[in-house]
Structure formats: C-alpha cells, structure tokens
Amino acid sequence: MLRVDGLCTFYGRVSVLKDVNLEVKKGEIVALLGANGAGKTTLLHTLSGLHAPASGSIRFQGEPLDKVKAHLRIALGIAHSPEGRQVFKPLSVEDNLRLGAYRRRDDGIAADVDHVYAMFPVLGQMRRRTASDLSGGQQQMLAIGRALMGKPRLLLLDEPSLGLAPLLIDQIFEVLAKLREQGVTILVVEQNAAAALSIADRGYVLETGRIVHTGTGASLLADPAVRNAYLGI
Ligand SMILES: Nc1ncnc2c1ncn2[C@@H]1O[C@H](COP(=O)(O)OP(=O)(O)OP(=O)(O)O)[C@@H](O)[C@H]1O
Ligand SMILES: [Mg+2]
C-alpha cells in the first residue's frame, strides 16, 4: 500500500530523515518508534505532503506521490491525525467530524458520523459541545474520528496515546485493532512502544533520522536493544 525508498528530508540545511526505507502492506498496523526528535513527525508530514522530501520516493498503491499535493492525498485515501490533535476548538464535535469529510461528495457522510459515534460513544454524547470542552483523550478520539471521515485506506496517526490515562490508551489501541479488522491500514507513531508493539504487525525504529531496527511487533518486543532503549527493561 505504501512504499518509501531512500527518503531524505531537510529543514533548511539540517538533515533530518536519512535514507529511510519503509513499507506498509494492506491491512497492517505498522508502528513507528523513536525518541524525541528522531524524525517521526517529519516522516508523517512528508507522507501526507506537508513537507517536501529532498530525495527518495513515496509510492501509494503503486503510484508515485511526488507531484500530488497534500489536499489531494486525502482524496487518494491517506488521512493524517496530527501530533497534538489539532482539533478546531471553537467548533462543535460534529462540525469537526464533518470537516474531515470536506472533500467528499457522496451521501454517506451522516452514516460515517454515526459510525464514529459508535466507535467513540462519548463523542456522540458531546456532539453539540465545542471541541474545547473535551478532555485530552476525547480530543484525541475526535482527531482520529475526523481522519476517519475522509474514508482513508491508510491512516497516519501521530502519537495517539500521548498524555492519556492508561485506560484511555487501551481504548485507543482497541479502536486501532478494530479499524484494522474493518480494512483500514495504519501507520502509527508512538512513544508508548510496549502498547504499540503489542498490537502492531510490524514496526520500525527511527534513530536520528535513520531506521535502525525493523521486524514483527513480537520480534521487536523481544529484541534486547529495543527493550533497553524504548521499554526501559
Ligand atoms: N519546522 C522545523 N524546522 C526546523 N527543524 C525542525 C522542524 N520541525 C522539526 N525539526 C527538527 O527536526 C528533527 C525531527 O523532528 P520531528 O518533530 O520529526 O521528531 P519526532 O520524532 O516527531 O519527535 P517527538 O517525539 O518530539 O515528536 C528535530 O531535530 C527537530 O528539532
Ligand atoms: Mg513528533
């Protein structure tokens, strides 16, 4: 579904991603792990077209994305739930969800809003409230729900569990597993390596812009170097 080859990016003259190669197959949950500043957000921004690569290629369903602008990538089926949630705080929960569907012209939008409420019942209860009334965890659910409203084939999630209580973290990861069953492919950036690897089919570890480990979720969980650096074990 997604294939990244030899990707290099810069901010000005500062090199961030260095020869990143990565693949996400249809139906997988792939976890992208790494310390602060490793380049995880930069990679997601590059995939969704918010940051231009210096070199390398990104192919989505076999087609190169180089010339596809960010707003058209969503139409191709790539949705991005950004770091820090970035919900539209003055707008209602429901309007936030509807904005996630702003490029759609089909008549399935109302049904998909209901589908998000079925997945996150608390959002249904708060549908008329403004997003600023939501807790951090509820805003995270809203950010994921808004991304789902684009009917993505590939969902990019940047730190969905950041700052959430353990119970909510479990709930978010359960939803990711459910989405995989429903046919959504997921690339999830996480600092919570244990939670992410326990549901991920495969994972990649990014260290100062380079992929340094890759393997199945289970093999990375068992890898002493990964355990030492990212699980504190
Ligand atoms: N807009 C920017 N301009 C210049 N440098 C940037 C910019 N955004 C990020 N960087 C730098 O690029 C590097 C990678 O940042 P990035 O945000 O991709 O890391 P990250 O892995 O997502 O980190 P975190 O875990 O803190 O979210 C860091 O050194 C960061 O300081
Ligand atoms: Mg980040």
Side-chain angles (χ1 to χ4, degrees):
M1 175 156 283
L2 178 76
R3 190 182 181 95
V4 174
D5 284 302
L7 191 71
C8 298
T9 69
F10 288 79
Y11 289 113
R13 282 187 296 185
V14 179
S15 156
V16 178
L17 298 179
K18 303 167 185 101
D19 191 27
V20 168
N21 300 294
L22 168 148
E23 190 182 16
V24 182
K25 296 182 189 123
K26 190 169 188 284
E28 280 189 321
I29 294 179
V30 173
L32 179 64
L33 313 175
N36 291 116
K40 307 178 298 295
T41 296
T42 301
L43 178 56
L44 292 197
H45 280 183
T46 310
L47 296 177
S48 62
L50 300 172
H51 187 71
S55 58
S57 76
I58 304 170
R59 298 176 85 85
F60 178 64
Q61 298 185 308
E63 301 294 324
L65 286 183
D66 317 48
K67 296 196 169 55
V68 183
K69 295 221 159 45
H71 66 286
L72 295 175
R73 294 189 194 194
I74 178 79
L76 287 179
I78 301 175
H80 187 169
S81 173
E83 186 172 28
R85 299 143 197 168
Q86 316 286 350
V87 297
F88 300 104
K89 293 217 170 118
L91 301 185
S92 71
V93 165
E94 188 143 324
D95 284 345
N96 268 275
L97 290 178
R98 288 184 171 278
L99 272 170
Y102 84 104
R103 295 210 45 97
R104 290 174 54 186
R105 293 292 172 266
D106 59 276
D107 55 10
I109 293 173
D112 286 343
V113 169
D114 287 340
H115 181 66
V116 172
Y117 292 155
M119 204 153 346
F120 299 113
V122 69
L123 294 183
Q125 290 153 22
M126 308 272 280
R127 67 211 294 164
R128 306 270 168 247
R129 304 278 287 278
T130 59
S132 57
D133 288 340
L134 302 183
S135 70
Q138 291 162 348
Q139 288 186 19
Q140 186 58 61
M141 294 173 191
L142 182 56
I144 296 172
R146 181 183 57 189
L148 289 174
M149 289 302 297
K151 272 204 170 302
R153 294 190 174 91
L154 174 65
L155 182 57
L156 309 174
L157 296 169
D158 201 340
E159 310 235 16
S161 80
L162 192 70
L164 304 192
L167 212 62
L168 271 180
I169 296 178
D170 290 348
Q171 207 181 325
I172 298 273
F173 280 101
E174 276 166 28
V175 164
L176 299 192
K178 212 179 280 178
L179 288 170
R180 170 173 55 190
E181 280 169 28
Q182 293 169 7
V184 182
T185 304
I186 298 171
L187 177 59
V188 56
V189 164
E190 262 301 333
Q191 297 233 344
N192 190 336
L197 289 178
S198 62
I199 66 155
D201 298 289
R202 292 186 305 110
Y204 292 86
V205 179
L206 198 59
E207 214 170 271
T208 55
R210 289 183 196 279
I211 303 283
V212 292
H213 301 284
T214 180
T216 62
S219 71
L220 288 174
L221 262 180
D223 184 325
V226 174
R227 292 172 75 80
N228 190 25
Y230 299 100
L231 301 169
I233 306 170

